[in-house]
Amino acid sequence: MSEKEVVLLDFWPSPFGMRLRIALAEKGIDYEYKEEDLWNKSPLLLKSNPVHKKIPVLIHKGKPVCESLIALQYVEEVWPHKSPLLPSDPYARARARFWADYIDKKLYDLGRRTWATKGEEQEAAKKEFLDSLKLLEAELGDKPYFGGDKFGFVDAVLIPYYSWFYTYETCGNFSIEADCPKLIFWAKRCLEKESVKKSLPPQEKVYGFVLELKKRLGLL
Amino acid sequence: METVKLYGAWPSPYSCRVIWALKLKGIPFEYIEEDLYNKSPQLLQYNPVYNKIPVLVHGGRPICESMVILEYLDEKWPQQPLLPTDPYERAEARFWVKFAEDKGLSIRMIYRTEGEKQEKARRDALEMLTILEEHGLNGKKKFFGGDNINIVDIAFGWIAHWMGVIEEITGVKLVEGNKFPLLKAWMHNFKEVSLINENLPNREKMVAFFRTRRSLILSAAWHPDFGFISRR
């Protein structure tokens, strides 16, 4: 068993894991990172998330917290004074939760379809994906971050997808920057932060992983 | 105090969730009934992303998505709390709320489809109910919230009243015989809570409404999210 109070069961390309890495880094929380092999899940993962058997799982003092957005809020509530990601005003918090929910409803599945499908299905996914990003860009507006002047909850939830942009663009043969230049600008600003830089894998590494995955799934 | 308005629709379980929460906390509100086949300009203005009910408008500011609304209500009006105070227990409650949201889709799919797709949805729904029975309800007291209902009970409210309507309309039975004893007990207890009992849509009206809506959906002339569309 780990000696550290906080353990993160994760898988390096997962955008859901990345957002937790960012939050823990932002708050300066020391933790043990455990890489899971999703084709050979550890007994600890299966025991910690018996319902979904998925990463990420945050284990704090031996107790597991599953689902990345839930674990993010847990981290906020247990360590409220260190670099808070959620605003204090309830209405602003409701808006942050709304947009985090929107991001998770749309981007993972649409993004996946841009690299895992072909033809009409892929074209439809690309269009919807870009429409979602444009909506997020509109929500960002002229603010430096979704959180306003400071990097916040929605920023942490969205930025991990940036590490997958090269994969989406290359597999789908399209440019995200062409349609959403402000969003790319925002992403690069986020990447200047140490917590984000060290939590996101290089885009090319993610692309290599997806090519291997496509081979494995017989999609090439 | 700033006014609270709820844009809802009488047959919607999502709309009911917010009504239950508002009444549980004793928050006075104005209710505006939306015609789901003819949505008002105000609704479209308040919810430009999804164009859906429920929308809570507090002091002129809109909040969308029923569970986001419930967390907002809990923060602004802490009496009769919906969520526990301990962070770990809050995480557990939110886990089951998310489960209700994600896995509830399988039961909706039974209602929205037929043939093979419906059969797959039925299998998914049974799997979901089994997990709920074995992991969610196992070891619980009367409610997810203990002796009183909390946010998780409210999130699963649709199982107590709407699932039976779907079973009746589609003929697909999910909770039958001796299966799911804990779930059956919870459903019974939940509907016995007077606040819930007094704020449930009429069952006959619901059967008629959802039966018509299902024919529309299956005719492919109409999509519940996008309205009237033509098949490609």
Side-chain angles (χ1 to χ4, degrees):
Chain A
M1 262 316 281
S2 176
E3 281 165 7
K4 299 223 168 122
E5 242 185 37
V6 180
V7 178
L8 179 65
L9 305 182
D10 201 346
F11 180 52
W12 70 265
S14 163
F16 306 103
M18 285 176 220
R19 51 179 67 147
L20 275 177
R21 289 173 228 163
I22 293 171
L24 291 166
E26 278 287 300
K27 289 172 182 287
I29 295 160
D30 190 29
Y31 68 99
E32 183 189 343
Y33 179 93
K34 278 192 173 212
E35 187 70 39
E36 283 285 332
D37 174 2
L38 297 189
W39 286 271
N40 188 19
K41 292 174 180 176
S42 73
L44 180 60
L45 174 58
L46 299 177
K47 187 180 81 144
S48 303
N49 193 353
V51 171
H52 301 300
K53 306 178 177 58
K54 286 181 170 178
I55 57 91
V57 179
L58 184 85
I59 306 176
H60 184 213
K61 296 183 185 173
K63 298 207 288 190
V65 181
C66 307
E67 299 294 327
S68 63
L69 289 184
I70 294 171
L72 262 186
Q73 291 189 87
Y74 175 82
V75 167
E76 274 288 286
E77 290 174 8
V78 174
W79 292 278
H81 306 298
K82 299 186 177 190
S83 293
L85 290 171
L86 275 169
S88 49
D89 169 60
Y91 186 74
R93 289 158 79 88
R95 284 195 72 83
R97 289 184 177 120
F98 173 87
W99 286 108
D101 174 68
Y102 176 85
I103 288 163
D104 274 1
K105 268 190 174 68
K106 299 282 181 180
L107 295 191
Y108 184 75
D109 186 57
L110 287 172
R112 198 192 146 273
R113 284 196 271 146
T114 67
W115 64 257
T117 65
K118 294 194 194 121
E120 252 188 67
E121 202 187 336
Q122 190 187 42
E123 289 307 307
K126 278 158 62 178
K127 183 182 180 300
E128 245 196 280
F129 182 72
L130 284 172
D131 285 344
S132 299
L133 289 184
K134 279 183 226 166
L135 193 63
L136 287 163
E137 206 181 44
E139 173 59 21
L140 176 67
D142 293 321
K143 305 193 295 290
Y145 300 104
F146 285 90
D149 290 322
K150 285 194 297 171
F151 183 87
F153 194 76
V154 177
D155 302 279
V157 167
L158 181 59
I159 192 60
Y161 286 99
Y162 181 72
S163 66
W164 281 71
F165 278 10
Y166 178 75
T167 300
Y168 301 143
E169 287 174 317
T170 311
C171 295
N173 191 30
F174 68 116
S175 162
I176 295 172
E177 184 153 19
D179 274 47
C180 307
K182 270 183 162 181
L183 203 65
I184 301 298
F185 202 63
W186 160 84
K188 292 183 175 161
R189 177 182 293 118
C190 291
L191 271 154
E192 286 170 10
K193 291 176 68 64
E194 198 54 44
S195 61
V196 176
K197 223 186 313 203
K198 69 177 189 181
S199 302
L200 263 56
Q203 297 200 47
E204 294 77 21
K205 193 178 176 197
V206 174
Y207 179 62
F209 160 76
V210 171
L211 285 183
E212 278 303 308
L213 184 61
K214 282 177 84 156
K215 251 188 250 169
R216 206 164 180 159
L217 297 172
L219 292 172
L220 272 182
Chain B
M1 204 200 67
E2 291 174 308
T3 51
V4 175
K5 290 187 190 183
L6 173 64
Y7 288 79
W10 71 264
S12 163
Y14 303 101
S15 186
C16 279
R17 285 171 171 173
V18 184
I19 293 172
W20 296 333
L22 287 164
K23 294 203 168 184
L24 189 69
K25 289 177 177 288
I27 303 166
F29 66 101
E30 182 194 335
Y31 177 77
I32 296 124
E33 181 70 39
E34 279 286 330
D35 175 359
L36 295 178
Y37 298 105
N38 189 17
K39 291 172 181 176
S40 73
Q42 287 90 343
L43 176 65
L44 303 182
Q45 184 200 329
Y46 282 137
N47 192 352
V49 175
Y50 299 116
N51 294 156
K52 284 181 172 179
I53 56 91
V55 177
L56 189 91
V57 183
H58 183 207
R61 300 195 298 183
I63 298 142
C64 309
E65 295 298 294
S66 57
M67 298 320 295
V68 173
I69 294 171
L70 260 55
E71 292 233 15
Y72 175 77
L73 292 176
D74 219 30
E75 290 182 1
K76 287 296 272 194
W77 288 273
Q79 71 272 21
Q80 305 294 352
L82 299 172
L83 275 164
T85 41
D86 171 69
Y88 190 76
E89 287 174 29
R90 288 163 75 85
E92 265 200 278
R94 286 180 174 132
F95 176 89
W96 288 108
V97 166
K98 186 169 199 297
F99 187 85
E101 294 296 80
D102 294 347
K103 302 301 182 176
L105 287 173
S106 57
I107 295 190
R108 261 167 85 188
M109 286 310 281
I110 291 174
Y111 162 75
R112 287 186 181 190
T113 58
E114 46 191 354
E116 251 187 68
K117 280 190 184 159
Q118 190 186 59
E119 180 50 34
K120 176 173 190 306
R122 189 188 74 91
R123 288 197 300 269
D124 290 342
L126 283 172
E127 196 187 311
M128 181 269 286
L129 292 172
T130 306
I131 293 174
L132 187 58
E133 178 86 8
E134 291 174 8
H135 293 270
L137 286 162
N138 196 25
K140 284 283 182 301
K141 292 163 96 176
K142 204 171 170 193
F143 300 111
F144 287 97
D147 293 320
N148 299 302
I149 59 169
N150 76 354
I151 202 172
V152 182
D153 300 280
I154 291 176
F156 279 112
W158 59 268
I159 288 186
H161 194 56
W162 281 258
M163 189 174 67
V165 170
I166 291 175
E167 284 179 312
E168 184 177 325
I169 293 170
T170 60
V172 174
K173 292 279 177 262
L174 293 166
V175 178
E176 52 183 344
N178 297 322
K179 287 199 272 186
F180 309 117
L182 295 176
L183 182 61
K184 283 225 266 279
W186 174 82
M187 283 164 61
H188 172 81
N189 290 333
F190 184 75
K191 287 175 81 165
E192 290 270 288
V193 174
S194 51
L195 169 77
I196 302 298
N197 191 268
E198 289 157 20
N199 291 285
L200 284 172
N202 175 273
R203 201 176 187 281
E204 276 91 54
K205 274 182 78 179
M206 280 220 293
V207 170
F209 175 87
F210 284 111
R211 185 166 272 145
T212 308
R213 199 168 168 86
R214 178 171 148 83
S215 337
L216 268 175
I217 292 168
L218 291 176
S219 75
W222 190 81
H223 189 284
D225 296 332
F226 307 126
F228 284 97
I229 52 166
S230 53
R231 243 220 215 281
R232 266 192 277 155

